[in-house]
Amino acid sequence: PDQPCDGSTYEMVECLKAKTAQWDKRMTIAYQRALHAGEPKQREQLRVAQRLWIQYRDANCLYYDLGEGTIARIEAGECMRSMTQARALELEGKEDRN
């Protein structure tokens, strides 16, 4: 998981997709745990926040994807990976506090 995504553009994009999928699983688990541990008002707000966060992440990373050349695909993939990782770690912190 900590290995760099090197190689052709295709290999780099596929590697970033795989890393994003791993972080997405981790994020989903942390989200479910934080949801379960929260108070009722917190749960509903977390649901709203998570939906909005996903919309923001997707829109933000689309900005990179619409760029010029093959580097745009790599930048978009790294955007998805890094934002998903950050959110997973944030949610893991929330589950630890509850």
Side-chain angles (χ1 to χ4, degrees):
D2 293 334
Q3 294 179 348
C5 291
D6 295 328
S8 69
T9 300
Y10 174 81
E11 291 168 330
M12 293 171 78
V13 169
E14 290 303 307
C15 175
L16 288 168
K17 282 182 186 177
K19 286 185 175 192
T20 300
Q22 290 175 334
W23 281 110
D24 190 62
K25 285 180 187 176
R26 191 165 160 177
M27 179 181 69
T28 300
I29 291 167
Y31 168 74
Q32 293 296 329
R33 287 182 178 158
L35 201 60
H36 180 73
E39 298 297 320
K41 288 181 182 179
Q42 286 181 306
R43 285 185 218 144
E44 184 52 35
Q45 190 57 41
L46 182 57
R47 281 187 194 95
V48 169
Q50 187 68 4
R51 286 184 200 117
L52 290 171
W53 179 86
I54 290 169
Q55 287 178 357
Y56 169 72
R57 178 200 60 186
D58 292 352
N60 187 54
C61 295
L62 180 58
Y63 164 81
Y64 295 100
D65 201 30
L66 296 174
E68 294 291 322
T70 57
I71 192 71
R73 293 180 60 214
I74 296 166
E75 289 174 339
E78 176 55 24
C79 177
M80 291 292 285
R81 186 214 56 80
S82 65
M83 289 188 74
T84 304
Q85 176 182 350
R87 183 64 174 163
L89 294 172
E90 178 185 4
L91 288 170
E92 287 173 353
K94 286 185 188 316
E95 74 181 64
D96 290 341
R97 287 192 298 264
N98 289 323

